Amino acid sequence: MRTLFSVCTTLLVATLLAPLVAFAGTGENASGSAVPHPTVAPTPSSSSATAAKKVEIEHVEPPNWWVGFQDPRLLVLVYGEGIGNTVPEFEYPGVHLVQHHQAWISPNYLFLDLTVAPGTAPGSFTITFRENGKKRAEIDYALLPREARSGPGGGHDGFDNADAICLITPDRFANGDPSNDVIDGMAETGLDRSDKLARHGGDISGMIDNLDYLQDLGFTTLWPSPLLTNDMPRYSYHGYAITDYYGVDPRFGTLAEYKALADSIHGRGMKLIQDQVANHCGSRHYWVSDPPFKDWFHYQDNWQSTNHQHTTIIDPYAAQVDIAGFNDGWFVETMPDLNQGHPFMSRYLVQNSIWWIETLGLDGIRQDTWAYADPEFLDVWSCAIMRQYPDFSIVGEEWVDNPLMIAAQQQGFPGDEGCLEHVMDFYQVNRLREVLREEEAWNGGWIKLYQGMAYDLLYPDPEAMLVFADNHDMDRIHTAAGEDPALTKMALAWVSVVRGIPQYYYGTEIAMSNA
């Protein structure tokens, strides 16, 4: 996560960009106890002229599912003009339609509350949508067999302090397929390597082409920044303003290429982390122009910026208005803050993570802006994943220079029952970058790192913390070191030998600078 200082860069970039839910009855919190779901009011029937036309289905999310999960529940979001006026029907042994839900403020959504019983056979079935007995649309829905994964390179292996993680910004790494540099119809179509905020053309193929190089450097784990669709008009290369949670950005490649990357990584005995964003989406997501509920986003009708007051999470004296201002506020106007407290949104995000874990055989997830999301949702989300994949790894990202906040993430915020094991040691990272060019003194220079290790007393598991010298949100370490190769090497030596899990940023191995 980002401190108030670090957010300045994010705000400057993102502000320039051109100007959400589980099931009927009850859901579960992190401990498995029931929590009530809000009543979903039906949308008034449309006119007979609208009702008479065929419904074109635009989105089915998740687009498929699997049999054999511990949790039998499945929520399917169906989106298309007027689909909310229809009634779904199907027959498939083991699959039960508990209820279908219309949206409050849009007739274009239908949420199907399903259960997939243990022992259900894989296969596909047709869901027919009828209005007044007449078929308006139909979709084929597939339930796949889960792939058996075990042993090194099998997927779902998690990461630990025996690993070396390489963080890559894909657009800036390697252009393996120039044919996808410009995609017609996308809001940002240009390619300009002379512009530090434009797209530069790197893609999934470029990462696949360079796996030998990365593995030869000693990296065991790859963490690319988000590869999902960011159809935003400017500065879309970074990937953190997602406009399609089930789509690979075509300028990076295809889902088949993403799978090929995962397979190639696992075939080498390496691991893959996916960068996910549950706190916010991009303002060009179809949810924004046509939200299903009045509370799908926080401050839906009148956006407000987050106050970035991280300590409200742990402060026993924090005012409720400040807590809400931190968790519910938006980063910028082009990044609407998702309301994970809505049960349909909560379930959507849990299922989206599981869909990608199964599809790619992921070994870990890096969850962006961890503490900005709803704390109860983070419990539900993290525990749902860890119950299904006990060897998996989740790291929560929060750029905060406060050991108490870092410790609270790992041990669980007050009242939490979450399942987050890995956090990022921004406190020591900031000290490292300070001392590189600081004069040695009784209370200055490298002694700050020595003293900072005392805070390990607070952390439940210091060995599970990610340590690093730089990342995609800050100056490169070679720049921070004044482009002094000796200091850069010293910083990398510290990352390599200190307790915790080392993470490196691509390009540091050739002393890249952003000066």
Side-chain angles (χ1 to χ4, degrees):
M1 299 222 168
R2 299 157 176 79
T3 59
L4 190 57
F5 171 78
S6 69
V7 159
C8 291
T9 301
T10 301
L11 292 176
L12 177 62
V13 172
T15 303
L16 294 175
L17 297 171
L20 295 182
V21 230
F23 303 94
T26 61
E28 291 182 357
N29 60 23
S31 64
S33 58
V35 293
H37 289 179
T39 301
V40 179
T43 303
S45 299
S46 60
S47 67
S48 57
T50 301
K53 69 178 184 180
K54 179 181 178 182
V55 175
E56 297 294 337
I57 304 296
E58 298 181 38
H59 298 278
V60 178
E61 301 172 343
N64 64 271
W65 203 239
W66 292 264
V67 297
F69 283 127
Q70 296 176 15
D71 189 342
R73 299 173 301 164
L74 172 61
L75 182 75
V76 179
L77 180 161
V78 183
Y79 181 80
E81 185 177 359
I83 194 66
N85 299 313
T86 68
V87 175
E89 59 182 40
F90 65 86
E91 291 186 6
Y92 191 82
V95 181
H96 175 57
L97 176 63
V98 179
Q99 191 173 351
H100 66 277
H101 305 271
Q102 295 173 313
W104 277 354
I105 59 175
S106 172
N108 302 325
Y109 292 85
L110 202 62
F111 295 87
L112 310 186
D113 172 2
L114 310 175
T115 58
V116 182
T120 299
S124 62
F125 54 95
T126 299
I127 304 176
T128 302
F129 300 88
R130 298 187 184 277
E131 183 178 5
N132 299 322
K134 296 181 179 179
K135 183 171 74 174
R136 299 304 183 200
E138 66 180 21
I139 59 174
D140 290 326
Y141 202 81
L143 293 175
L144 306 178
R146 295 182 60 209
E147 184 175 341
R149 302 180 184 275
S150 62
H156 314 332
D157 291 332
F159 49 81
D160 57 28
N161 61 2
D163 287 301
I165 298 172
C166 181
L167 165 61
I168 294 174
T169 303
D171 178 72
R172 307 305 170 88
F173 182 63
N175 191 345
D177 181 8
S179 70
N180 62 25
D181 289 351
V182 177
I183 302 295
D184 291 340
M186 302 205 76
E188 184 177 13
T189 59
L191 192 76
D192 184 359
R193 292 188 65 181
S194 68
D195 183 349
K196 66 182 180 180
L197 297 177
R199 299 191 78 96
H200 290 187
D203 50 29
I204 295 171
S205 292
M207 289 188 284
I208 294 174
D209 292 344
N210 287 281
L211 287 178
D212 281 342
Y213 170 76
L214 294 168
Q215 189 171 30
D216 287 346
L217 286 171
F219 296 123
T220 67
T221 306
L222 261 60
W223 156 23
S225 59
L227 292 163
L228 304 191
T229 303
N230 273 235
D231 191 10
M232 301 293 286
R234 208 55 182 114
Y235 314 133
S236 63
Y237 75 90
H238 55 72
Y240 291 95
I242 295 170
T243 56
D244 184 349
Y245 279 92
Y246 286 95
V248 177
D249 196 300
R251 293 161 294 189
F252 289 139
T254 64
L255 178 58
E257 289 173 316
Y258 202 171
K259 290 179 179 179
L261 172 66
D263 290 343
S264 297
I265 287 171
H266 290 139
R268 297 165 176 267
M270 299 172 69
K271 302 172 184 179
L272 177 62
I273 298 172
Q274 187 178 62
D275 205 331
Q276 296 190 354
V277 189
N279 180 67
H280 53 264
C281 67
S283 59
R284 284 175 57 88
H285 195 293
Y286 73 91
W287 289 342
V288 178
S289 59
D290 187 18
F293 303 102
K294 62 183 180 182
D295 55 352
W296 200 237
F297 302 99
H298 292 124
Y299 301 119
Q300 188 159 302
D301 297 325
N302 184 23
W303 86 278
Q304 296 183 32
S305 174
T306 175
N307 59 28
H308 300 291
Q309 297 300 314
H310 298 77
T311 55
T312 58
I313 297 293
I314 60 173
D315 184 0
Y317 309 109
Q320 189 59 44
V321 65
D322 291 330
I323 296 173
F326 173 65
N327 282 126
D328 298 352
W330 299 20
F331 267 90
V332 287
E333 189 173 2
T334 52
M335 291 182 175
D337 199 79
L338 304 179
N339 178 15
Q340 303 93 10
H342 193 297
F344 286 8
M345 175 65 81
S346 175
R347 188 64 189 176
Y348 179 97
L349 294 170
V350 169
Q351 290 182 170
N352 179 255
S353 294
I354 291 174
W355 190 88
W356 282 110
I357 293 170
E358 285 292 319
T359 297
L360 300 176
L362 295 175
D363 300 281
I365 289 172
R366 180 263 196 186
Q367 185 58 255
D368 185 58
T369 57
W370 176 264
Y372 285 79
D374 179 81
E376 292 184 1
F377 160 76
L378 293 173
D379 294 347
V380 171
W381 177 83
S382 61
C383 291
I385 291 172
M386 295 309 298
R387 278 195 298 266
Q388 186 62 53
Y389 308 97
D391 296 324
F392 199 74
S393 292
I394 299 170
V395 56
E397 181 265 348
E398 180 181 9
W399 190 343
V400 60
D401 194 26
N402 183 331
L404 286 174
M405 278 296 299
I406 297 170
Q409 286 183 80
Q410 195 176 41
Q411 69 191 18
F413 295 128
D416 281 4
E417 300 175 10
C419 300
L420 181 68
E421 178 183 4
H422 302 285
V423 296
M424 307 185 80
D425 192 356
F426 274 102
Y427 179 81
Q428 285 290 68
V429 171
N430 290 340
R431 302 294 80 72
L432 171 67
R433 296 165 67 85
E434 283 178 5
V435 307
L436 284 176
R437 303 171 69 182
E438 193 172 88
E439 291 292 330
E440 290 297 313
W442 173 254
N443 61 348
W446 284 79
I447 195 173
K448 289 182 178 180
L449 280 172
Y450 174 65
Q451 294 170 335
M453 296 300 291
Y455 288 115
D456 279 12
L457 178 67
L458 299 174
Y459 308 136
D461 188 359
E463 290 290 354
M465 302 174 72
L466 264 65
V467 292
F468 49 100
D470 57 357
N471 67 16
H472 54 320
D473 284 326
M474 56 177 65
D475 278 341
R476 285 184 170 276
I477 189 59
H478 196 49
T479 298
E483 299 191 358
D484 183 332
L487 291 179
T488 300
K489 290 179 181 180
M490 193 178 296
L492 294 177
W494 179 83
V495 170
S496 301
V497 302
V498 76
R499 59 91 180 102
I501 305 168
Q503 172 249 293
Y504 306 86
Y505 193 32
Y506 83 98
T508 299
E509 76 280 3
I510 57 171
M512 285 184 68
S513 172
N514 60 278

